[in-house]
Amino acid sequence: RAKGEGRKRYHVYEASSKYDHVENFIHELELSNAIERGELELQYQSIYSPVLQKITGVEALLRWNHADAGSVSPGDFIPVAEATGLIIPIGYWVIRQACRDWHKFKETFGNEFKVAVNISKVQLNEHDFIDQIFKILESERVSPHVIVLEITESTVIHNLQAVQETLRKLRKEGFTISLDDFGTGYSSLSMLTLLPIDNLKIDRSFIQDMNQALVSSVLVMATALNLKVIVEGVEDINQFKILEAMNCWGLQGYFISKPVEQSLVPVNFAASVH
Ligand code: C2E
Ligand code: MG
Ligand code: MG
Ligand code: MG
């Protein structure tokens, strides 16, 4: 095929859709059938609290096991799902599956164990999101007290008043709210005081170069605002020890556990590092 043809094809899709890649167009067609085909899967990554010295919960991370492409990462298909609205049914599938798996976690980790799910801005802006999530929890016999909803700064920024209102209602019903990827967006510190949230998840880019001054100032601020800080992307023992000594409430990352299927979530985090 001529070079120009490829380029032209690309431009046709680019002009006619919100997508960055031709691949996304193909994803859209197949993603719409992923639930029925049973191609979606949740993996879980442990969150360890050095303060409580135990694994307090997990974060559910979505995987799409595509027949040909193999495991497609959420970074590749969540944007497509958001642009097409497919994130709505997929998001409800995630919540229901997380509830079902919670009953299994409870057997090993007890009733207080929490499962966190990522919520897209598209979901949060659905007018009946709160009703729907309640219906799911009710039918799966799971209390909001064990469910954490992770939202990102970008969710909040465009729609502050509406999001404030939704989050307030959800918290009143017992949900825990985490602000995810903190430090990657544009939100000002004053924004934090306006948000009805419980936890702050510091993005792993903060930790990569182990900016201790930055982390400790976020910790001071979070403490003043009564927020628990969870640090993402803890990959090695040095990072772990520093963050543990800084009294971060929660740590998450490959050093503690990679995301794994429900039955493989480690029961203990080996304290052999001490
Ligand atoms: P996130 O919520 O910030 O999740 C953390 C991401 O960092 C995950 O990537 C996780 O596998 C990865 N990670 C965890 N520990 C480490 C580490 O020590 N080192 C490194 N390099 N990476 C680590 P993943 O699973 O590819 O998910 C990417 C993003 O996709 C998530 O970021 C989240 O924003 C989104 N996502 C995942 N599942 C869902 C979902 O069910 N619904 C929605 N709306 N978004 C989801
Ligand atoms: Mg998250
Ligand atoms: Mg994050
Ligand atoms: Mg992230």
Side-chain angles (χ1 to χ4, degrees), residues 152 180-181 203-204 232:
T152 60
D180 205 352
D181 298 349
D203 192 74
R204 69 167 185 267
E232 299 185 298

Side-chain angles (χ1 to χ4, degrees), residues 28 33 35 39 49 76 96 104 132 148 151 173 179 195 201-202 242:
E28 178 190 342
N33 296 312
I35 295 180
E39 292 174 348
S49 173
D76 288 333
R96 189 177 293 280
K104 297 181 191 163
Q132 292 299 334
V148 181
I151 57 160
E173 299 298 338
L179 188 65
L195 289 177
K201 295 189 78 172
I202 301 184
I242 291 166

Side-chain angles (χ1 to χ4, degrees), residues 95 98-99 102-103 106 111-115 133-134 136-149 170 173-176:
I95 293 166
C99 286
W102 179 80
H103 286 287
K106 172 190 69 179
N111 284 322
E112 303 287 294
F113 194 76
K114 288 186 163 66
V115 175
I133 194 170
F134 266 111
I136 294 171
L137 266 64
E138 244 170 57
S139 73
E140 299 299 330
R141 295 162 295 107
V142 168
S143 159
H145 290 93
V146 297
I147 302 295
V148 181
L149 305 175
L170 288 165
E173 299 298 338
F175 288 97
T176 303

